[in-house]
Amino acid sequence: MGETARDIMDTRLYTLHPRTPVAEAAAILRRAREELGRPVFGMIVVDNEGKLVGMASMYDILLLTRPKHIHIWGEMADIDATGIIREACLRAKPILVGDIMTTNVVTVTPDTHLLLIVDIMIKRHIRRLPVLEDGKVVGMVYLSKVFDYFVDQLIL
Amino acid sequence: MSIIDRESVLRGLTVQEAMRRLVIRSTYHAPLEQATRLMIKYKVNALLVTDEEENGIGVLSKTDVMAAYYAEMAVDTPIEAMMTGPPLFCNLRDPLDEALETMRGKGVHRLYVSGEMSGKATGVLAYPDIVGILYRYCYKCERSLTRRRGAQSSIPEAERLKVHEVMTPSVHSHAEDETLFQVMEGLSSHRLGAALITARDGRPSGIISKTDLIIAYRHRVAPDVPARTIMSSPVLACSQSDLLCNAIQTMIFSDVHRLFVYGEDTRQVAGVLSLTDAARIRSGTCRACIATRLMIGSGSA
């Protein structure tokens, strides 16, 4: 079956462990971005056996740094909040990836058709999908790569 | 219309102007472990529990998860075993003061907001959301207590308020070697969000909040371990003679809802200051309007 996840999946895998602290996860995200030459906003989380246990994304990290009571002090424009982002990041650094990751991860197989992948990404608001074969992650499909594939077809 | 012409500073405002649209939810059959992760991740005190069609059928709060921990229930127990319900709903266009009256009358900290389809939540309204909006309006209101009191001075009253004028002058504490069972009993019987933990010489050595307890539950810490095992340390505190604005700044920077307050003797804690009370008082919230006559509890969304 042509035009499947296998055709566009990225097999260069970067992973996090549930016990990786957020500060280390941020460094891994940055390193991946430099090595891949494109923004990396999320990664799969695997356990000691290499089994997929979750996904950690930019959104998860931003949620962690968002102050709990922002809806109160956000109104207090008369309070000086200079330096609060630095403080929020210092608090977030030691938190473990396992405590903030998303666990209900949607996956596909190498043989999943690209149109089905498009459908999943649209319906579930997902930008990246791990590709599983025999229970192991063998690749990642990114929305940008899916779109690139369609653009190639559109301009033929 | 100027703010002071309003009988209530909240008059004319609707629920949709104060609510948050992000409703953290989970299905009734998901395990408590997952609910705990959502509470930690989204920094919320409760989840909306839904059926498969996303209809709200219950609420699971940190207190409920703590009760499961106390009862030594497994972390993979389904949420439905601990949820309470049904959730209370209001509508997007309901007057805000009417929603507040419902919360006050029913003794709940939050209302879910239904949209076009009954039973489906499109938002959530909790006390802290209203405290925030009160701050916006009361701070500008000419009837504001702080504005009136400060009228004779070049320094605004809000800048001169001291911590001892706002704090609650009593503190619930547990000894470091008491078990988590005992701490949970204390929090439950006093309806508190956190307790002070003290060393053998009586000095404050840490804090245990409901959040600390649900994290311990998720990490499968046995509830018979001593309080010192999971307490947060050092104790975030200020002096009762500190300016309120500095104490608020400390809470904001530390992302905490409360500060313990030292008295004259800095080895002893004399009271506790909550962010919601501090914000209300600093805003100058007065009793000129019905809607602002709120006794805000320590609970939040």
Side-chain angles (χ1 to χ4, degrees), chain B residues 47-49 56-61 64 79-89 108 112:
Chain B
L47 307 177
L48 178 68
V49 184
I57 55 171
V59 177
L60 183 81
S61 69
D64 301 325
I79 287 173
E80 65 178 326
M82 295 308 295
M83 72 180 193
T84 54
L88 289 176
F89 278 91
V108 296
Y112 289 94

Side-chain angles (χ1 to χ4, degrees), chain A residues 60 63-64 66-69 71-73 75-76 78 80 82-84 87 91 98-103, chain B residues 37 41-43 45 128-129 132 135-136 139 218-219 248-249 252-255 257 275-276 282 300:
Chain A
D60 296 324
L63 269 175
L64 182 65
R66 182 186 62 158
K68 175 172 180 177
H69 302 290
H71 42 299
I72 296 179
W73 76 260
E75 297 288 351
M76 302 167 83
D78 49 329
D80 182 10
T82 310
I84 193 168
E87 283 291 324
R91 265 198 315 277
D99 285 332
I100 63 163
M101 68 187 184
T102 300
T103 51
Chain B
R37 186 186 293 113
K41 179 170 171 172
Y42 290 96
K43 302 184 183 179
N45 283 354
D129 303 317
Y135 195 92
R136 188 192 309 169
Y139 201 71
R218 191 177 111 65
H219 291 173
I248 291 174
Q249 203 162 24
I252 289 170
F253 272 65
S254 311
D255 200 15
H257 181 261
L275 182 59
T276 41
R282 191 166 193 276
S300 56

Side-chain angles (χ1 to χ4, degrees), chain A:
Chain A
M1 187 162 73
E3 302 185 308
T4 66
R6 193 188 309 278
D7 299 321
I8 59 161
M9 69 183 189
D10 198 330
T11 53
R12 293 168 296 177
L13 293 176
Y14 291 84
T15 62
L16 300 172
H17 188 272
R19 298 204 64 79
T20 306
V22 164
E24 202 179 311
I28 296 169
L29 282 169
R30 175 61 58 87
R31 193 166 65 238
R33 187 180 78 168
E34 287 166 2
E35 289 174 8
L36 296 172
R38 59 169 174 75
V40 177
F41 295 130
M43 272 185 193
I44 51 171
V45 185
V46 296
D47 64 12
N48 293 336
E49 283 74 48
K51 187 180 153 213
L52 179 71
V53 291
M55 293 271 283
S57 71
M58 168 185 74
Y59 185 65
D60 296 324
I61 294 173
L62 290 176
L63 269 175
L64 182 65
T65 54
R66 182 186 62 158
K68 175 172 180 177
H69 302 290
I70 187 135
H71 42 299
I72 296 179
W73 76 260
E75 297 288 351
M76 302 167 83
D78 49 329
I79 294 279
D80 182 10
T82 310
I84 193 168
I85 292 178
R86 180 73 192 137
E87 283 291 324
C89 290
L90 285 174
R91 265 198 315 277
K93 278 183 167 202
I95 305 296
L96 303 180
V97 164
D99 285 332
I100 63 163
M101 68 187 184
T102 300
T103 51
N104 50 342
V105 182
V106 180
T107 61
V108 293
T109 72
D111 296 324
T112 306
H113 198 278
L114 286 187
L115 283 174
L116 186 55
I117 289 175
V118 169
D119 188 52
I120 293 170
M121 287 180 156
I122 290 172
K123 277 187 184 157
R124 308 286 293 264
H125 300 279
I126 296 172
R127 302 175 64 87
R128 58 191 82 80
L129 283 168
V131 185
L132 255 62
E133 191 166 41
D134 300 327
K136 294 276 182 191
V137 183
V138 293
M140 290 290 291
V141 173
Y142 297 99
L143 178 62
S144 55
K145 291 290 288 288
V146 176
F147 186 61
D148 275 349
Y149 189 90
F150 280 82
V151 168
D152 288 344
Q153 303 299 313
L154 284 164
I155 60 178
L156 271 181

